[in-house]
Amino acid sequence: MRFQLIFLVSFLSINIFGQNPRIAKFSISQVSIDAVLISWSMNTGSTCSDLVVQRSINGIDFLDVYTYPGVCGIADSIQDYNWIDINPIPYAINYYRLKLDQTDYSKIKSLDLN
């Protein structure tokens, strides 16, 4: 029973509050009028799984915009990755998050492309 409670609390803190211990860093930045750089770092020892970049225009309803296959953390160092979204929604706030294993999410980041 104690293990189930600890697991539930851990699961809720990851999914409700956007904390994901496998993602060391997540950032977005505008690199041109029609491109957004999405950068992230995986913590050491993370398991390999596909990582999905998701985008939203309201911060609630997210769509998959890119799948980075088999993202792995290296056993003894943080591993950096990035992807450029060449189709952000113009003249709007674009919200991004990372999805791992269909249930784990990063914090949501936003960028105003006005």
Side-chain angles (χ1 to χ4, degrees), residues 5-113:
L5 181 60
I6 291 170
F7 176 77
L8 179 62
V9 170
S10 297
F11 178 80
L12 290 174
S13 69
I14 289 170
N15 290 295
I16 293 174
F17 301 112
Q19 304 296 324
N20 190 309
R22 294 186 288 173
I23 299 171
K25 183 180 84 171
F26 171 46
S27 64
I28 59 174
S29 59
Q30 188 170 357
V31 292
S32 71
I33 190 119
D34 57 356
V36 175
L37 174 66
I38 294 95
S39 300
W40 67 94
S41 301
M42 299 299 292
N43 270 320
T44 59
S46 298
T47 58
C48 297
S49 62
D50 291 350
L51 182 140
V52 178
V53 176
Q54 295 185 316
R55 181 180 58 226
S56 170
I57 59 168
N58 62 12
I60 299 168
D61 304 307
F62 284 85
L63 298 173
D64 296 354
V65 292
Y66 180 72
T67 299
Y68 201 106
V71 173
C72 301
I74 296 176
D76 59 356
S77 65
I78 292 175
Q79 182 67 35
D80 298 323
Y81 297 90
N82 59 61
W83 175 70
I84 296 177
D85 182 2
I86 58 170
N87 295 308
I89 309 304
Y91 309 110
I93 297 174
N94 285 246
Y95 298 87
Y96 292 91
R97 72 179 180 188
L98 304 176
K99 178 174 77 171
L100 290 117
D101 300 329
Q102 304 301 319
T103 57
D104 289 343
Y105 298 92
S106 69
K107 290 184 178 181
I108 297 170
K109 304 285 183 172
S110 64
L111 184 64
D112 190 348
L113 295 180

